[in-house]
């Protein structure tokens, strides 16, 4: 007599573990999608909230006004996006803006042609980027500390060059029409500064996303050791990122001088914190926690619409900072928590490594 081992009969329709696998797959997909929805949901919530609180919020004229008010901030934030994408940070971007505005306004006041004033303003801004690059790449000073030092120095330079912080006011009849149009021109009833900011944003987005340079900058910022091993000139890429950041900020400064018909020392510093917040809010849109120009512009819109809405409902200026801080903290905190649960990189993990000295070899 032989004994045979009876094999268990399996039902193919109800394979063991099939339902838990389906649930796990759906949960995994949701954990990757949810962090990327934080900023769009926050933007939609702001639109819905203030449209209910103020009948003038969604009026086309008001929305166009918001775009005009945030155009300079958009330029500054787009420039900062380049540096953060390269693995750095630039706290002196407001100084680049201020010095460019100072140079352009001073030359216009002295009767120089518009193109000369614009060129000198851009050179002043580029000088800030060159100093940052020399400190960070040449002397190996951590980006946070290097650009913070340049911020202090640049602020004092403005005070010295203006005799203690005296503003420069331009006489309207003496301002060249080309310079005036740069800051106060209109194209088909659309503020020319908004159109200019959009063009710059598209150019920078193409450079970062579609060119060989942009891909190299991204790799150098996210994986500097691997980039160096693969033969990329990491130091040169970092220098180019800081120069491009300062150039965009300088362009914003020239536009600000043309728009305000003068220069006020320290005016560029007002854009720094909002620009940093917009850049890192935009990083939540990426599954890799990577900053990008489209994401940065979403962050700029969040700040712009939030400020405008609080003004329309008559909220005191002293409470507006609290409101902005709460919204920013909520977005970033949710981004951290959801990214941690999904196991993906956080939207600003690189920010906390910027005080460490870069370990780089000379290219």
């Amino acid at each position: 007599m032989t004994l045979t081992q009876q094999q268990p009969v399996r039902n193919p329709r109800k394979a063991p573990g099939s339902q838990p696998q389906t649930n796990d797959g759906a949960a995994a997909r949701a954990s990757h999608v949810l962090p990327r929805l934080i900023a769009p949901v926050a933007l939609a919530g702001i639109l819905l909230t203030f449209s209910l609180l103020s009948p003038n919020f969604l009026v086309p004229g008001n929305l166009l006004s918001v775009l005009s008010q945030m155009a300079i901030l958009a330029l500054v934030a787009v420039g900062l996006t380049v540096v953060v994408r390269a693995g750095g940070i630039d706290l002196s971007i407001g100084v680049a803006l201020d010095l460019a505005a100072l140079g352009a306004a001073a030359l216009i006041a002295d009767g120089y042609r518009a193109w000369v004033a614009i060129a000198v303003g851009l050179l002043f801004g580029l000088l800030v980027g060159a100093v940052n690059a020399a400190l960070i790449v040449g002397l190996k000073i951590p980006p946070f500390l290097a650009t913070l030092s340049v911020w202090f120095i640049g602020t004092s330079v403005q005070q010295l060059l203006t005799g203690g912080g005296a503003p420069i006011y331009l006489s309207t009849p003496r301002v060249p029409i080309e310079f005036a149009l740069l800051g106060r021109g209109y194209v088909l009833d659309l503020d020319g500064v908004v159109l200019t900011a959009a063009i710059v944003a598209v150019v920078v987005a193409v450079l970062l996303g579609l060119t060989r340079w942009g891909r190299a900058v991204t790799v150098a910022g996210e994986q500097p050791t691997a980039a160096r091993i693969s033969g990329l000139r990491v130091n040169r890429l970092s220098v180019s990122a800081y120069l491009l950041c300062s150039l965009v900020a300088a362009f914003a400064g020239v536009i600000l001088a043309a728009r305000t018909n003068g220069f006020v020392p320290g005016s560029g510093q007002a854009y720094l914190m909002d620009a940093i917040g917009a850049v890192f809010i935009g990083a939540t849109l990426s599954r890799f926690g990577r900053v990008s120009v489209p994401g940065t512009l979403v962050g700029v819109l969040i700040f712009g619409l939030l400020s405008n809405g609080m003004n329309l409902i008559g909220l005191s200026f002293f409470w507006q900072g609290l409101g902005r801080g709460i919204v920013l903290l909520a977005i970033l905190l949710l981004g951290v928590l959801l990214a941690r649960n999904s196991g993906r990189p956080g939207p600003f993990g690189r920010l906390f490594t910027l005080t460490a000295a870069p370990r780089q070899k000379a290219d």
Side-chain angles (χ1 to χ4, degrees), residues 21-45:
Q21 290 178 1
T22 302
N23 292 337
D24 291 345
R29 287 192 297 271
S31 66
H32 283 83
V33 171
L34 287 178
R36 303 170 65 183
L37 296 178
I38 297 173
V41 169
L43 182 59

Side-chain angles (χ1 to χ4, degrees), residues 137 140 228 233 235 360-363:
V137 177
K140 304 297 185 291
R228 195 173 297 109
R233 301 288 189 177
N235 285 349
Q360 298 177 355
K361 296 180 181 180
D363 286 343

Side-chain angles (χ1 to χ4, degrees), residues 61-328:
N62 181 62
L63 296 180
L64 290 176
S65 176
V66 171
L67 294 179
S68 298
Q69 294 169 8
M70 305 309 295
I72 301 294
L73 174 60
L75 285 171
V76 176
V78 165
L80 188 61
T81 300
V82 178
V83 164
V84 178
R85 185 77 165 253
I89 193 69
D90 188 358
L91 300 182
S92 65
I93 193 168
V95 170
L97 187 154
D98 281 336
L99 291 181
L102 171 60
L107 290 184
I108 291 295
D110 288 341
Y112 284 85
R113 294 182 180 272
W115 70 268
V116 175
I118 294 171
V120 170
L122 295 179
L123 287 175
F124 275 23
L126 274 176
L127 179 61
V128 176
V131 172
N132 285 332
L135 294 175
I136 295 167
V137 177
L139 300 180
K140 304 297 185 291
I141 299 176
F144 185 93
L145 300 178
T147 57
L148 180 63
S149 301
V150 174
W151 174 31
F152 286 127
I153 295 171
T155 301
S156 294
V157 167
Q158 295 177 57
Q159 301 292 326
L160 294 172
L161 293 178
T162 57
I168 298 175
Y169 298 109
L170 300 178
S171 175
T172 302
R174 298 185 59 185
V175 175
I177 185 63
E178 301 88 351
F179 190 76
L181 289 176
L182 185 62
R184 301 191 299 276
Y186 280 81
V187 179
L188 300 177
D189 294 332
L190 179 65
D191 191 345
V193 178
V194 175
L195 183 60
T196 302
I199 293 174
V200 172
V202 169
V203 170
V204 174
V206 170
L207 285 175
L208 288 178
L210 301 179
T211 66
R212 184 177 180 181
W213 175 83
R215 291 190 290 270
V217 164
T218 302
V219 174
E222 296 179 355
Q223 299 178 347
T225 302
R228 195 173 297 109
I229 293 174
S230 65
L232 293 178
R233 301 288 189 177
V234 176
N235 285 349
R236 295 183 183 180
L237 291 170
S238 181
V239 169
S240 64
Y242 278 97
L243 289 177
L244 180 56
C245 172
S246 294
L247 180 62
V248 175
F251 187 47
V254 173
I255 292 177
L256 182 62
R259 189 165 202 169
T260 59
N261 225 24
F263 165 72
V264 177
S267 55
Q269 304 303 323
Y271 298 98
L272 174 62
M273 291 296 108
D274 283 354
I276 293 176
V279 169
F280 288 103
I281 284 176
T284 62
L285 291 171
S286 169
R287 60 177 298 187
F288 304 109
R290 179 182 298 161
V291 301
S292 65
V293 172
T296 294
L297 295 180
V298 171
V300 170
L301 278 177
I302 287 175
F303 278 122
L305 292 171
L306 183 61
S307 296
N308 178 259
M310 289 189 293
N311 286 329
L312 288 178
I313 64 175
L315 189 64
S316 170
F317 173 79
F318 302 105
W319 287 96
Q320 291 189 20
L322 178 63
R324 291 155 65 86
I326 290 175
V327 171
L328 175 61

